[in-house]
């Protein structure tokens, strides 16, 4: 969202019913010819204000009781209820969506990438056990088109609602001459809170624990530079191509823009229900590169590929690009968006709980004695 000065209806008109600016600027050079304006340089303040107006209703739907004030201030205010915690620890995370945005811009579909943005931030927060409290967004574009910015912002607001966090504020910046009029980039920072004694970490993981996988919605938001290279570049595929393996007359573009799954609320409820030792959000680096981050040095995690079948998009990318298995696994999530390591005694309970919340989850492996490594064994089901 762009921070703008709020103008009330009473302050917006004078006695004659004419529009009145909230400030005035005089000049001693009367009669001078028109000077260069910010708009001449390609920046429209009014377009930014219009974008904020279009977003307001969506943003208000994300508000939590702790949010103070309204849009238009210089900073967002959030009253942390410290009575809920003995030793509250704040957690923060910053991320973007990457070159998946190129697909959105080519298709002129902008209401889903905001969900991707929120997912990348809040699911990193929940990996340490933190509840996402609020998020701040940043949108940089070549030209502020209010309806387009509103679509992007609507997706961010939707993602915040799914995650249970407030969209507290943000900024929309117009960068003419740096970005093309149809180009934009997005990023966000989220803040969460966790009781110090309940922080999830590798120190909790023990030999005999069970590795539970939670299914992804597809590629999520990683590896898109490689995806675009092998499918749209060397593969010469079109985004409007219907791919039979995707089902329901689904096009390549629709598949690539599938929003990233948001696990935050489900993981927080799982932590309340079961003894969760650690969580790993699978992003860049794939399964081995992210699961290793929650392993202590004296154990290994064994993950059996035969326990699940990746979505067809992964097979398409691999086949078109002739990509070897190791490269695929170090780049993509391969069908798993989040891992939970739980005690063996809670494994069945955890799986039943996740199934009850509509999350595709399965036992993918176990924790054994080792040296802090991830062992990938077996082969994925094909066909």
């Amino acid at each position: 969202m762009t921070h703008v000065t709020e103008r009330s209806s009473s302050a917006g008109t004078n006695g004659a019913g004419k529009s009145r600016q909230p400030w005035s600027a005089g000049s001693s050079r009367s009669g001078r010819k028109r000077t260069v304006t910010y708009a001449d340089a390609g920046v429209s303040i009014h377009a930014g204000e219009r974008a904020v107006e279009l977003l307001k209703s969506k943003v208000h739907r994300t508000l939590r009781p702790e949010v103070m004030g309204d849009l238009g201030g210089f900073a967002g205010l959030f009253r942390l209820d410290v009575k809920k915690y003995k030793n509250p620890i704040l957690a923060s995370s910053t991320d973007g969506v990457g070159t998946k945005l190129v697909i959105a811009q080519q298709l002129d579909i902008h209401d889903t990438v905001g969900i991707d943005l929120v997912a990348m931030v809040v699911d990193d927060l929940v990996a340490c056990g933190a509840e996402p409290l609020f998020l701040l967004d940043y949108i940089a574009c070549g030209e502020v088109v209010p309806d387009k910015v509103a679509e992007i912002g609507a997706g961010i607001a939707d993602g915040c609602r799914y995650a249970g966090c407030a969209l507290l504020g943000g900024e929309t910046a117009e960068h003419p001459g740096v970005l093309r009029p149809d180009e934009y980039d997005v990023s966000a920072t989220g803040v969460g809170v966790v009781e110090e004694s309940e922080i999830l970490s590798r120190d909790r993981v023990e030999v005999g624990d069970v590795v539970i996988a939670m299914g992804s919605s597809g590629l999520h938001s990683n590896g898109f530079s490689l995806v675009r290279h092998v499918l749209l570049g060397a593969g010469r595929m079109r985004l409007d191509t219907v791919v039979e393996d995707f089902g329901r007359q689904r096009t390549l573009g629709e598949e690539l823009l599938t929003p990233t799954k948001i696990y935050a609320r489900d993981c927080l409820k799982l932590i309340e229900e079961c003894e969760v030792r650690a969580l790993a959000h699978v992003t860049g680096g794939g399964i081995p590169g992210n699961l290793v981050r929650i392993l202590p040095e004296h154990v290994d995690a064994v993950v059996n590929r035969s326990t699940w079948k990746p979505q067809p998009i992964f097979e398409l990318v691999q086949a078109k690009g002739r990509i070897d298995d190791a490269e695929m696994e170090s780049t993509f999530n391969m069908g798993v968006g989040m891992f939970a390591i739980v005690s063996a005694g809670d494994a069945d309970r955890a799986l039943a709980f996740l199934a009850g919340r509509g999350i595709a989850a399965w036992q993918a492996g176990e924790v054994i004695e080792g040296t802090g490594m991830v062992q990938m064994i077996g082969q994925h089901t094909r066909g």
Side-chain angles (χ1 to χ4, degrees):
M1 295 171 294
T2 306
H3 287 303
V4 298
T5 302
E6 294 295 319
R7 296 183 174 87
S8 67
S9 57
S10 60
T13 60
N14 58 22
K18 295 180 180 180
S19 174
R20 182 174 68 83
Q21 293 284 358
W23 51 267
S24 64
S27 173
S28 61
R29 301 180 180 180
S30 60
R32 184 179 177 181
K33 291 183 179 180
R34 179 182 179 275
T35 60
V36 174
T37 66
Y38 210 2
D40 292 330
V43 177
S44 172
I45 295 174
H46 298 298
E49 293 172 344
R50 174 59 180 157
V52 172
E53 289 299 322
L54 293 173
L55 272 173
K56 273 188 174 180
S57 63
K58 276 279 190 179
V59 174
H60 284 153
R61 292 171 64 187
T62 75
L63 298 185
R64 294 168 50 121
E66 303 97 326
V67 175
M68 301 172 63
D70 200 357
L71 300 182
F74 287 100
L77 301 177
F78 190 97
R79 188 192 303 275
L80 180 63
D81 184 2
V82 294
K83 295 179 181 179
K84 292 174 57 177
Y85 309 91
K86 293 181 179 179
N87 294 295
I89 302 297
L90 295 179
S92 64
S93 176
T94 296
D95 214 332
V97 178
T99 62
K100 184 173 185 175
L101 293 177
V102 175
I103 307 298
Q105 291 160 22
Q106 289 176 340
L107 291 174
D108 197 24
I109 297 174
H110 313 286
D111 60 351
T112 61
V113 291
I115 299 173
D116 293 297
L117 179 62
V118 175
M120 299 301 287
V121 173
V122 299
D123 286 340
D124 275 355
L125 288 175
V126 80
C128 70
E131 175 191 1
L133 297 176
F134 59 83
L135 183 135
L136 302 166
D137 67 74
Y138 181 82
I139 304 172
C141 51
E143 177 184 355
V144 171
V145 179
D147 288 341
K148 181 187 293 186
V149 173
E151 285 184 56
I152 299 168
I156 297 173
D158 285 342
C160 286
R161 285 194 300 106
Y162 303 154
C165 68
L167 181 52
L168 195 58
E171 180 74 14
T172 298
E174 201 162 22
H175 291 171
V178 177
L179 297 171
R180 294 195 311 267
D182 61 334
E183 285 185 319
Y184 61 85
D185 198 4
V186 296
S187 64
T189 296
V191 173
V193 63
V194 58
E195 183 68 60
E196 184 174 11
S197 62
E198 298 174 6
I199 296 174
L200 302 182
S201 71
R202 66 181 67 192
D203 298 333
R204 294 174 173 241
V205 178
E206 301 176 359
V207 173
D209 286 345
V210 170
V211 178
I212 290 177
M214 301 180 212
S216 70
S217 57
L219 291 167
H220 283 185
S221 299
N222 297 105
F224 270 80
S225 293
L226 180 57
V227 169
R228 291 187 302 108
H229 174 70
V230 301
L231 297 186
L232 308 181
R236 297 183 179 180
M237 294 185 69
R238 293 168 50 96
L239 291 173
D240 59 0
T241 300
V242 174
V243 180
E244 184 177 348
D245 288 345
F246 296 161
R248 297 174 298 170
Q249 293 293 302
R250 190 170 172 82
T251 66
L252 176 62
E254 289 172 329
E255 178 65 29
L256 295 182
L257 281 188
T258 301
T260 303
K261 172 69 178 174
I262 295 177
Y263 302 92
R265 273 184 164 171
D266 301 300
C267 286
L268 289 173
K269 291 297 184 182
L270 181 66
I271 292 169
E272 293 178 4
E273 185 74 15
C274 307
E275 188 175 353
V276 177
R277 313 283 203 195
L279 293 168
H281 184 202
V282 184
T283 54
I287 291 172
N290 287 282
L291 193 53
V292 72
R293 297 164 68 179
I294 59 170
L295 297 178
E297 294 182 355
H298 66 282
V299 306
D300 283 359
V302 180
V303 177
N304 193 335
R305 301 182 188 92
S306 68
T307 60
W308 82 94
K309 177 183 176 182
Q311 293 94 327
I313 185 62
F314 296 103
E315 189 171 350
L316 177 65
V317 170
Q318 184 167 20
K320 285 287 187 179
R322 298 184 183 137
I323 305 171
D324 64 35
D325 292 343
E327 185 68 18
M328 289 292 295
E329 286 189 335
S330 67
T331 306
F332 302 108
N333 67 61
M334 299 305 294
V336 179
M338 183 75 77
F339 281 105
I341 296 183
V342 304
S343 63
D346 268 353
D348 289 342
R349 186 178 180 181
L351 288 170
F353 178 80
L354 290 170
R357 293 183 66 86
I359 303 297
W362 61 94
Q363 182 171 332
E366 60 180 338
V367 176
I368 64 172
E369 291 185 4
T371 58
M373 304 293 289
V374 176
Q375 300 181 28
M376 303 292 294
I377 65 172
Q379 296 296 324
H380 293 301
T381 304
R382 302 285 182 176

